[in-house]
């Protein structure tokens, strides 16, 4: 065993700490990973590489056909007349239409308001003053895993709050920050509640299954519900253990500071909470904010359930698609902003109306690095889609697995592994399932597997690697948050610390899928693995 110095307290005191073999292994991964260029340079280089590759494929006459579409589409090259025209006319749209840009900006405006009003700090103090320290990692893991009900918002809102909570009870804030993001990202495909993702996946699966001679049991948003509940609880346990036994001890041993730099900038500013004492005035203000939150929630529920509600779809329902399911960001913003305004008005932190835009302006200033990166990332993602290289990769991978002629459960494991690898390049679960579902739902139906089981298997491979790929735009957000503690942190730092979560989540998910298959347990109401 080797010894090295660290600053575990973040106060400058040098402590002699002992590192483990795992620390050294992950440290090596971190050093190699940190040689990856800064995200802006990385995606600029990837854009150029994709431009060359797509042009070469286009000149070679490569085309791609999504099974079931009956139409073959050629790969399009960037360095062609069509490519130049596309890029010059869509430069702004590629940036503005980059999906995470709007989500990040809007959510962080609301989060910034809630933080600067003092609401979040007070809420943390009241909620966790008497909570047992040992249970905190599991609580954060549970909220992160099931938080997909908030859609992508979970990866922006929960990590800084988790850091604040950990700091408040004397635990390492970076463990809360990274543990919450790992739970939210690597466990994104599951939740104990039925989410918009369930409806989206079910709609895609049903559209493919309808073309089969034997479509099996109809797939609905609750077809994987029982399986999702078990997945959520298992991943919560795994994540909580990893935070407690691996991540937090490693951060302490390697001397990661527990205090933010006073001059730190970037999204996800976290207010440190050291004293858990709450004044009587703040408690009264928090009570009023709670009442405001309940009234807001009640108003939103009434808006959604009244007959003729604009939140319903044309059929008068909510599934598989509806304005309600598309309004996640709006709902989160309302539930953050209204209580923050009430709390700020009561305490005097937001007594005047002109203080509201000033607080939001500070949040925008913090987001400047992300906005710059979103410009080049948006161009890369748009080119990846427009050239059809991503579609070609998915179809080629599916064809390669199909050519192996696997027929038993090993075919399912191979399918999960393929989804895991493709998730490094295609981070949109719905886009990837649209392509892979068209291939594997019919294939596995011929082998005797229900379409809902194929969908459940896809979930196991869809999310685990999402916290490792630089193509996940929220990686950049959490990196900015981390740099408030570690200025020199890079992509390699995140990859090394998230790798145990990815491996353990993947193994746990596949083990659970295997158990479900062997015991032939119901995936959801009336839904089993075999036709």
């Amino acid at each position: 065993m080797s010894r090295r110095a660290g600053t575990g307290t973040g106060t400058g005191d040098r402590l002699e700490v002992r590192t483990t073999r795992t620390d050294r292994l992950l440290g090596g991964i971190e050093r190699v990973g940190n040689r990856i260029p800064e995200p802006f340079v990385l995606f600029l280089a990837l854009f150029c590489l994709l431009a060359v590759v797509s042009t070469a494929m286009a000149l070679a006459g490569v085309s791609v056909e999504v099974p079931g579409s009956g139409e073959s589409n050629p790969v399009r090259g960037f360095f062609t007349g069509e490519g130049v025209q596309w890029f010059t006319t869509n430069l702004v749209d590629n940036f503005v239409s980059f999906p995470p840009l709007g989500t990040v900006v809007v959510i962080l405006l609301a989060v910034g308001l809630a933080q600067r009003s003092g609401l979040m700090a007070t809420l943390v103090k009241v909620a966790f003053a008497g909570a047992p320290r040992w249970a905190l990692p599991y609580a954060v893991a549970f909220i992160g895993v099931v938080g997909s009900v908030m859609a992508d918002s979970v990866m922006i809102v929960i990590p800084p709050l988790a850091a604040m909570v950990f700091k408040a009870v004397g635990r390492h804030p970076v463990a809360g920050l990274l543990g919450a993001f790992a739970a939210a990202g690597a466990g994104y495909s599951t939740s104990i509640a039925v989410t918009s993702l369930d409806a989206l996946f079910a709609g895609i699966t049903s559209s493919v299954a309808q073309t089969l001679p034997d479509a099996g049991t109809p797939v609905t948003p609750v077809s994987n519900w029982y399986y999702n509940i078990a997945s959520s609880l298992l991943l919560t346990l795994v994540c909580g253990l990893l935070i407690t036994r691996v991540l937090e001890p490693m951060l302490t041993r390697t001397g990661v500071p527990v205090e933010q730099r006073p001059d730190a900038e970037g999204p996800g500013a976290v207010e440190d909470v050291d004293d858990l004492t709450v004044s009587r005035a703040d408690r009264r203000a928090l009570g009023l904010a709670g009442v405001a939150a309940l009234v807001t929630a009640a108003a939103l529920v009434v808006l959604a359930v009244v007959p003729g509600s604009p939140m319903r779809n044309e059929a008068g329902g909510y599934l598989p698609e509806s304005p309600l399911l598309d309004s996640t960001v709006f709902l989160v913003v309302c539930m953050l902003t209204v209580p923050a305004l009430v709390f700020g008005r009561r305490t005097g932190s937001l007594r005047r109306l002109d203080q509201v835009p000033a607080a939001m302006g500070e949040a925008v200033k913090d987001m400047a690095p992300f906005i710059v990166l979103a410009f080049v990332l948006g161009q890369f993602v748009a080119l990846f889609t427009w050239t059809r290289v991503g579609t070609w990769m998915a179809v080629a991978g599916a064809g390669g697995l199909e050519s192996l002629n696997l027929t038993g459960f090993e075919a399912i494991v191979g399918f999960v592994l393929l989804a895991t690898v493709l998730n490094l390049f295609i981070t949109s679960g719905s886009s990837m399932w649209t392509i892979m579902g068209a291939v594997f739902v019919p294939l596995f139906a011929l082998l005797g597997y229900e379409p809902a089981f194929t969908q459940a298997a896809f979930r196991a491979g869809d999310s685990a690697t999402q916290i490792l790929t630089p193509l996940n735009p929220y990686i950049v957000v959490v990196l900015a948050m981390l740099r408030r503690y570690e200025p020199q942190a890079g992509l390699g730092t995140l990859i090394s610390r998230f790798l145990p979560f990815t491996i353990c989540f993947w193994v746990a998910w596949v083990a659970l899928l295997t158990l479900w298959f062997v015991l032939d347990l119901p995936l959801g109401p009336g839904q089993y693995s075999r036709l």
Side-chain angles (χ1 to χ4, degrees):
M1 305 290 279
S2 65
R3 298 174 70 86
R4 59 178 288 188
T7 54
T9 63
T11 61
D13 298 330
R14 304 296 293 182
L15 298 174
E16 210 51 33
V17 294
R18 186 181 297 272
T19 59
T20 67
R21 186 174 301 173
T22 301
D23 292 338
R24 294 193 292 276
L25 174 62
L26 295 178
I29 295 174
E30 178 179 355
R31 287 189 293 275
V32 172
N34 281 344
R35 293 178 182 175
I36 299 173
E38 278 293 297
F40 185 93
V41 178
L42 172 65
F43 285 110
L44 186 61
L46 289 175
F47 182 93
C48 296
L49 177 63
L50 180 58
V52 173
V53 169
S54 65
T55 303
M57 294 176 71
L59 292 177
V62 176
S63 61
V64 58
E65 178 181 346
V66 176
S69 67
E71 183 179 356
S72 180
N73 295 299
V75 171
R76 295 185 283 203
F78 179 81
F79 293 113
T80 62
E82 184 184 16
V84 171
Q85 184 183 62
W86 168 82
F87 184 64
T88 57
T89 58
N90 288 278
L91 181 71
V92 175
D93 287 342
N94 293 342
F95 172 52
V96 176
S97 301
F98 181 50
L101 177 63
T103 299
V104 171
V105 171
V106 174
I107 291 294
L108 285 183
L109 284 175
V111 169
L113 189 63
Q115 287 176 335
R116 287 168 174 82
S117 69
L119 172 63
M120 285 191 174
T122 304
L123 184 60
V124 166
K125 292 178 182 179
V126 171
F128 294 95
R133 294 176 75 254
W134 67 265
L136 189 56
Y138 299 93
V140 166
F142 179 74
I143 293 171
V145 169
V146 306
S148 56
V149 70
M150 298 168 57
D152 289 3
S153 306
V154 64
M155 286 181 272
I156 307 170
V157 176
I158 303 302
L161 282 178
M164 185 190 298
V165 169
F166 267 57
K167 184 68 163 36
V169 299
R171 303 194 68 147
H172 206 301
V174 175
L177 177 74
L178 299 184
F181 186 83
Y188 187 79
S189 276
T190 190
S191 178
I192 60 172
V194 179
T195 70
S196 59
L197 190 64
D198 292 295
L200 185 58
F201 280 177
I204 296 170
T205 307
S206 295
S207 65
V208 176
Q210 289 171 0
T211 65
L212 301 174
D214 182 2
T217 307
V219 180
T220 70
V222 297
S223 290
N224 291 157
W225 190 29
Y226 300 160
Y227 174 74
N228 284 347
I229 292 174
S231 299
S232 299
L233 298 177
L234 176 62
L235 296 183
T236 293
L237 178 62
V238 170
C239 188
L241 284 171
L242 287 171
I243 294 173
T244 302
R245 302 293 186 183
V246 179
L247 179 60
E248 191 169 20
M250 181 189 67
L251 295 173
T252 302
R253 286 192 300 267
T254 54
V256 175
V258 298
E259 303 289 346
Q260 298 181 76
R261 295 181 299 121
D263 60 337
E265 296 181 354
V270 206
E271 182 179 349
D272 284 334
V273 178
D274 295 308
D275 182 8
L276 296 181
T277 303
V278 179
S279 67
R280 184 175 299 178
D282 283 351
R283 285 185 180 275
R284 286 197 294 265
L286 186 62
L288 289 175
V291 172
L294 290 175
V295 171
T296 302
L300 292 172
V301 169
V302 171
L303 176 64
V305 301
V306 295
S309 167
M311 308 302 282
R312 298 173 182 263
N313 56 29
E314 293 182 358
Y318 306 103
L319 300 174
E321 294 181 327
S322 67
L324 178 64
L325 297 181
D326 293 334
S327 301
T328 303
V329 173
F330 169 77
L331 299 176
V332 172
V333 168
C334 286
M335 295 306 297
L336 285 172
T337 302
V338 175
L341 292 174
V342 172
F343 184 89
R345 175 70 178 178
R346 178 71 179 184
T347 61
S349 58
L350 295 176
R351 190 173 298 278
R352 301 191 315 274
L353 188 60
D354 61 353
Q355 291 176 299
V356 174
M360 289 183 168
E362 289 296 316
V364 171
K365 184 177 71 173
D366 288 343
M367 287 185 287
F370 173 79
I371 294 173
V372 172
L373 178 65
F375 174 75
V376 67
L377 184 53
Q379 307 304 323
F380 172 79
V381 172
L383 181 63
F384 198 63
T385 302
W386 180 81
T387 59
R388 302 191 179 108
V389 170
T391 304
W392 177 84
M393 287 177 59
V395 172
L401 182 59
E402 186 177 2
S403 67
L404 296 177
N405 294 319
L406 301 176
T407 58
F409 188 72
E410 67 273 12
I412 296 293
V413 176
F415 167 63
V416 174
L417 185 59
L418 175 62
T420 301
V421 174
L422 288 176
N423 190 53
L424 292 168
F425 305 95
I426 307 173
T427 58
S428 169
S430 59
S431 297
M432 190 160 66
W433 182 230
T434 299
I435 299 169
M436 296 188 70
V439 177
F440 287 103
V441 167
L443 172 63
F444 288 141
L446 293 175
L447 298 177
Y449 299 124
E450 285 275 9
F453 179 68
T454 306
Q455 176 182 286
F458 173 76
R459 290 178 182 273
D462 174 46
S463 296
T465 50
Q466 191 160 234
I467 56 176
L468 296 183
T469 174
L471 295 182
N472 178 359
Y474 301 108
I475 284 282
V476 181
V477 178
V478 78
L479 179 59
M481 296 177 187
L482 178 60
R483 283 177 171 170
R484 302 182 71 87
Y485 299 89
E486 295 182 273
Q488 304 306 317
L491 290 174
T493 308
L494 291 179
I495 291 171
S496 68
R497 293 175 187 170
F498 286 151
L499 187 60
F501 290 90
T502 291
I503 294 173
C504 293
F505 270 41
W506 195 91
V507 171
W509 228 329
V510 172
L512 184 68
L513 184 70
T514 304
L515 179 68
W516 231 259
F517 176 79
V518 172
L519 299 181
D520 197 25
L521 298 174
L523 297 160
Q527 193 70 253
Y528 290 83
S529 303
R530 298 172 181 85
L531 289 168

